[in-house]
Amino acid sequence: PTLYVRKGDRLIVNVHNHGKYNVTIHWHGVKQPRNPWSDGPNYVTQCPIKPGANFSYEIIFSREEGTLWWHAHSDWSRATVHGPIIIYPEIGATYPFPKPHKQLHIVLGMTATSECCQNRTLKVLVNYGKSYLLRVINSVMNEEMFFAVAQHNLTVVGMDGAYIKPIETDYIMITPGQTMDILLTANMSPSHYYMAGRAYAGVVYDNTTTTAILKYIGNYTAPSTPSFPSNLPNYTDIDAVTNFTNRIRALASKDYLVNVPRKVDTRLYITVSLGSVPCVNDSCDGPNGSRLAASLNNMSFVDPAVDLLQAYYRKIRGIYKTNFPSVPLDFFNFTSDDLPDNVYTPLKATKVKVLEFNSSVEIVFQGTNIGAENHPMHLHGNSFYHVGSGFGNFDNETDPKGYNLVDPPELNTVGVPTNGWAAIRFRADNPGVWYMHCHLDRHSSWGMDTAFIVKNGATRLTSIRRPPRYLNPC
């Protein structure tokens, strides 16, 4: 179901598991101030809801406004367990753009089988001359997506539950986990037009195109085949990705302020890599009988036996270590075509990073040529400012000089360019345990994850709330 709320609302959702598998639900992009108990990632902030059990989530909205989404956060079940979250302005407030005639949800996703959707192409009905707010969500498991509407221009006005300066464009690129609010005016000759999505991938897993039909209401002769967007980029078009993402800027108005930290207390430089770990008797299906693994700073995350939040809150020893490295263990030319052999095998461990309350944090994600792809990195419990990105190895002397500290977009998921880097800043003012991971599920399940423990502040109102009365057992 679609969840409809207003900015600042509080919502209780009771999830009953009638399925065959364990499940948890994550409210993607909702900051959940002081309330990590309802964030949702299994074995990070809760143990899973077992078949036949239930759990009540308390979802606390704060500054978010626009479009977010919810999805399962256990194994790969989010493939088909997800839905939109629509956050309207507070009562008495308005959008920072002309009010549209109608709002439409466009979810880019996947289905269990390709046969299921034959003759079921989505048709979006529009009236000539009217404007529409498309709330676009990329719920795809493992692919960034290009999206376009044939012969129609798009105006992107929001992203990840925050407003941005309007971008006039004829296509978008949206990573798994991201959401975008897009204005479309139905101002072309009444007819049928394809809305189309195509994967962007350095490594091709599916280069097919998914479509819906924009259908004008009225009397006219329908075409035998709808017009297709000729401007939809090719699946390898890295320039189209860069040209679009470099235009994204925060709205930065008096009603929507930018508060990017200028002084940094904690700096992290995190390499994003794929690799493999050895198996007994070379018995696995990866390269040379190994098992595929993914890592951050050469640490491949291992799910603990008890969720991290409960272990932290109840001071249970032996569940995790707090020495996640702030910099890579080994420095080399991360984006070179010729890499040393010893960098392909990560250390499997459950390591987290501890942050002081209200500290300002900068993370530079460094892509590597060990599985070079665009990695959408998602942070729970916080939004962050995307202050810079580029290709090649990050240079800590020259690259920060080009940071955008005036109107960087406020996001919850950022794409790290293929063989490049992305820099973010945020203030760690939300106490709790918060997951950070690649939103390509194959990478997350292989270990491209870690978590932050944000310490309590000095008062009750700057400390983690007490746990709910009932927590699902592990």
Side-chain angles (χ1 to χ4, degrees), residues 35-39 45-50 53-57 306-307 309-311 313-314 316 465-474:
N35 187 35
W37 305 103
S38 287
D39 189 47
T45 61
Q46 72 174 102
C47 295
I49 308 169
K50 296 177 181 178
N54 69 89
F55 182 71
S56 287
Y57 290 92
V306 177
D307 65 272
L309 176 58
Q310 196 167 177
Y313 190 83
R314 304 194 189 286
I316 303 173
R465 297 173 58 188
R466 292 179 180 177
R469 294 181 180 179
Y470 175 77
L471 293 172
N472 298 89
C474 284

Side-chain angles (χ1 to χ4, degrees), residues 131-149:
S131 65
Y132 295 83
L133 178 60
L134 307 183
R135 297 182 179 272
V136 180
I137 299 167
N138 186 351
S139 72
V140 177
M141 297 295 284
N142 290 304
E143 307 288 2
E144 291 86 359
M145 297 292 291
F146 293 115
F147 173 82
V149 181

